[in-house]
Amino acid sequence: LRNTCLGTVTYIDEKNGIKAQVHLGSVKKKPKDYLQGNIEQNGIAVSQIFGTYLGYLDFDGLRYWDFRDEIAFKVVDGLVGEELPSDCISRTDLQTLATGNLELAQKEKEILENLQRHDARLRHDWEKSQSQKKKQQDSSQLIYQRTNMFIYSLFQKKK
C-alpha cells in the first residue's frame, strides 16, 4: 500500500514578495517521492530546493531536514477507552470474532456492511441532488443574463 503525492505546490507570502514552488514526483531518474523547486523573492530566484519527502530536504545543497535525525517517540497506551466511536476497535464484528463465535461475527459483519451501503446510497443521492440544483441554478442564471442582455439591447436600439 502506497500513497504518492504528485504535482506542484505553490507557497506565496505576498507581504514579503516571496514565492516557493515545489514540484513533486517529477525529478528525472528518481523515485516519485523526490521533489525539486525554488524560492523567489520579488521574481528573483534566491534558493533551490531538492530532496524527498520521505527522507531529507536540501536548500542550496545544505541539508535542513533529515529523517534519520528525527527522534522517534514511544507510543503511549494511555488512550484506551478514549477512541472515537468510528474507531475499528469498536466494530462489533471484530469484537465477536475475538470471542470465537464465527456465525455471530459474520452476522455482525453483514449488518455493518448493509449500514455502509445505506450510507453510501445516501451520499450518492445527496451528491446527485446537489448536481441537479447546480444545473437548475446555472440555467436560471443563464436565463437571467440573456433577459438582461435583451433588455439592454432594446435600450440601445431606442438611442
Side-chain angles (χ1 to χ4, degrees):
L1 185 62
R2 179 172 102 179
N3 188 8
T4 304
C5 296
L6 301 173
T8 300
V9 181
T10 304
Y11 303 92
I12 298 175
D13 177 355
E14 292 176 357
K15 181 180 177 186
N16 297 303
I18 299 172
K19 176 181 175 183
Q21 283 196 317
V22 180
H23 307 284
L24 303 163
S26 62
V27 178
K28 291 184 180 182
K29 297 184 180 182
K30 293 287 185 182
K32 294 292 182 193
D33 58 293
Y34 273 77
L35 56 93
Q36 63 186 5
N38 63 344
I39 300 173
E40 298 176 355
Q41 186 167 27
N42 300 320
I44 300 169
V46 294
S47 182
Q48 296 296 314
I49 306 166
F50 184 82
T52 165
Y53 57 81
L54 295 177
Y56 66 92
L57 285 178
D58 292 346
F59 291 82
D60 297 325
L62 183 62
R63 183 122 328 149
Y64 275 82
W65 174 76
D66 192 323
F67 178 75
R68 295 172 295 184
D69 297 334
E70 297 297 318
I71 299 171
F73 292 97
K74 184 178 178 182
V75 177
V76 179
D77 244 0
L79 298 177
V80 176
E82 297 179 26
E83 301 88 10
L84 294 173
S86 59
D87 193 303
C88 67
I89 201 167
S90 302
R91 287 182 50 170
T92 54
D93 62 327
L94 295 179
Q95 293 171 353
T96 307
L97 184 61
T99 66
N101 190 339
L102 297 179
E103 289 180 25
L104 186 56
Q106 181 62 34
K107 288 179 184 176
E108 291 288 342
K109 180 181 172 212
E110 290 169 4
I111 290 169
L112 178 62
E113 288 173 343
N114 287 332
L115 179 63
Q116 290 171 341
R117 283 189 204 98
H118 178 262
D119 288 347
R121 270 193 306 274
L122 289 176
R123 282 191 301 278
H124 177 266
D125 292 346
W126 183 84
E127 288 171 357
K128 189 175 177 180
S129 72
Q130 294 303 306
S131 175
Q132 289 172 346
K133 283 181 184 177
K134 175 139 179 43
K135 285 179 185 176
Q136 289 172 348
Q137 289 172 348
D138 291 347
S139 176
S140 297
Q141 187 174 10
L142 182 62
I143 292 169
Y144 177 76
Q145 288 172 346
R146 287 186 178 166
T147 304
N148 281 343
M149 288 187 333
F150 176 71
I151 293 170
Y152 178 75
S153 67
L154 288 177
F155 282 112
Q156 292 298 320
K157 288 179 183 177
K158 288 184 180 181
K159 290 182 179 179

